[in-house]
Amino acid sequence: MSTYEPPAPSDEHRAAVELLAGSKRVLLTGHERPDGDCLGSQAGLVQILKARGQSAFVLNPDAPDRRYQEILTEDFHVDDGGALPEHDLVVMLDGGDLSRTGRLAGRLAKADSKKLVVDHHLHDGDRWWDAAFVDTSASATGVLVRRLAAHLGAPIDPTAARAIFTTLVTDTGWFKYSNTDAETLTIAAELIKGGVRPAEVYGDLFQRQGQDHPRSLSGALARTIYYADGRLALVDLPEAQGGGPFEVDSDGVLDVLRSVESVEVALVVRAVDGSRCKLSARSKGAFNVQQLAARFGGGGHAKAAGATIESPIEKARTDLVEAALELLAATTERRSSPRSAADAARKS
Ligand SMILES: [Mn+2]
């Protein structure tokens, strides 16, 4: 028995549901280096489609991390550069920019099939799809998959339940970010009632680090630099000894940076090689990291965003700090100051 009621679908959403419902062979894809929201949304939707007698095949540009193995069924495949399987509909989940499917993008664009995007990111690029089930207010793409199941009248089996729970905890930082809303928690409660065990999911997702984790984390954290009176914290990670990226759980680094009271925006920039690096950016307050990432050709959300920067790490760091300080100054001008009022009250 479900207590979850999805919000009423818009006309655009209704058209998306119809397209999905009427497609026999569905090819699901997502972004490079798929995370828990991307994979969980795919796993949830696969189970929902199969329960309806539709065939579903997941094809991702990159292999999933082993922490997700509990939700990965035999329907998951990693692109080997070959021909796409026969399909009527492509569904891209947790991203609406086709280029984020990496080397799959060319073949997907050429495929003679309908295209559907299920996503919660802002899109400003081409409308390459036939229909979109997009809501930027949804905490996770998995929320949209749960809505789709409701609109299709499809059941949520144990694999789909665990998969959708994985999307929620991935994108809300285990229900602590500002995107955590009543819909998210209503769905989570329903999934737990249905048998999902939160502690087990937590263990699989977050307690399987290798023994080198504490040392790599502390090595990265030791590189913390503050700017603007500690409102901006940055960790830059040059290539590891012997070349290649410094291996560290950047979410773990960002969590610690954000735990510092003065920090409003936390950045980790990591060299991929001598001429390219990856940015992960997080905000605790009014600072919009999506705007920062967009300046470097990336994207994401207001509170969590990323980019691949085509320059050596020294230049990337300089450019990032300059851009972040400029945006930080603009953010300060825009916001009122409830915090300083609270500080004043506390001191008196
Ligand atoms: Mn997401």
Side-chain angles (χ1 to χ4, degrees):
M1 278 306 205
S2 172
T3 52
Y4 172 69
E5 282 289 336
S10 64
D11 289 346
E12 195 181 13
H13 284 184
R14 217 170 278 133
V17 173
E18 249 169 63
L19 178 60
L20 184 60
S23 301
K24 284 204 180 73
R25 298 165 303 176
V26 184
L27 174 62
L28 293 82
T29 191
H31 54 77
E32 291 175 293
R33 295 184 52 162
D35 63 0
D37 188 26
C38 184
L39 295 164
S41 297
Q42 294 173 335
L45 190 54
V46 161
Q47 297 305 108
I48 288 160
L49 292 171
K50 291 203 304 190
R52 290 173 42 83
Q54 294 169 268
S55 91
F57 186 99
V58 183
L59 189 62
N60 281 322
D62 291 318
D65 190 277
R66 68 185 183 97
R67 73 173 77 177
Y68 302 114
Q69 70 194 27
E70 290 295 325
I71 58 169
L72 302 176
T73 60
E74 71 281 2
D75 309 301
F76 276 76
H77 305 269
V78 179
D79 178 40
D80 61 4
L84 301 178
E86 293 282 316
H87 65 285
D88 318 303
L89 176 69
V90 171
V91 184
M92 180 171 179
L93 294 116
D94 199 36
D97 184 348
L98 191 59
S99 70
R100 292 213 62 210
T101 62
R103 57 202 191 116
L104 268 170
R107 276 166 286 153
L108 290 170
K110 269 189 242 145
D112 179 26
S113 51
K114 296 282 186 188
K115 309 290 190 294
L116 168 65
V117 166
V118 178
D119 187 28
H120 66 143
H121 295 86
L122 267 176
H123 300 137
D124 47 15
D126 290 344
R127 274 192 62 113
W128 55 274
W129 52 82
D130 297 285
F133 197 86
V134 172
D135 184 347
T136 56
S137 76
S139 63
T141 301
V143 166
L144 303 177
V145 169
R146 179 64 190 91
R147 289 187 198 170
L148 284 170
H151 297 319
L152 292 165
I156 306 288
D157 73 5
T159 301
R162 186 165 177 143
I164 295 170
F165 193 82
T166 299
T167 73
L168 306 180
V169 299
T170 299
D171 274 24
T172 64
W174 209 277
F175 309 119
K176 63 183 180 286
Y177 300 153
S178 61
N179 59 355
T180 306
D181 57 11
E183 183 180 16
T184 305
L185 293 173
T186 304
I187 294 171
E190 171 204 67
L191 298 173
I192 291 169
K193 263 192 236 165
V196 171
R197 294 192 195 89
E200 199 181 292
V201 177
Y202 189 85
D204 278 350
L205 294 182
F206 300 111
Q207 295 178 324
R208 300 180 69 168
Q209 300 281 2
Q211 292 188 352
D212 56 339
H213 174 64
R215 249 179 231 118
S216 73
L217 190 63
S218 63
L221 287 167
R223 299 185 61 87
T224 303
I225 309 171
Y226 294 110
Y227 299 88
D229 296 325
R231 295 171 63 203
L232 167 64
L234 176 134
V235 164
D236 67 324
L237 299 168
E239 281 184 272
Q241 279 171 358
F246 184 96
E247 290 302 333
V248 68
D249 167 28
S250 49
D251 283 324
V253 176
L254 288 159
D255 270 343
V256 176
L257 297 182
R258 268 175 299 182
S259 71
V260 176
E261 184 176 13
S262 66
V263 169
E264 294 171 41
V265 51
L267 309 177
V268 170
V269 57
R270 174 157 67 145
V272 177
D273 53 37
S275 61
R276 211 158 35 115
C277 21
K278 294 250 185 200
L279 164 72
S280 296
R282 300 289 183 272
S283 164
K284 248 162 64 178
F287 189 100
N288 186 332
V289 287
Q290 188 266 330
Q291 284 175 2
L292 177 68
R295 287 201 187 186
F296 296 89
H301 306 278
K303 299 262 160 82
T308 299
I309 303 177
E310 303 289 338
S311 41
I313 188 149
E314 296 79 15
K315 175 163 168 41
R317 182 187 53 213
T318 309
D319 294 348
L320 268 170
V321 169
E322 189 185 310
L325 290 178
E326 189 189 315
L327 286 168
L328 199 54
T331 308
T332 312
E333 282 155 27
R334 268 204 319 276
R335 72 171 180 194
S336 58
S337 50
R339 163 167 310 210
S340 43
D343 283 348
R346 203 159 48 212
K347 277 173 198 137
S348 65

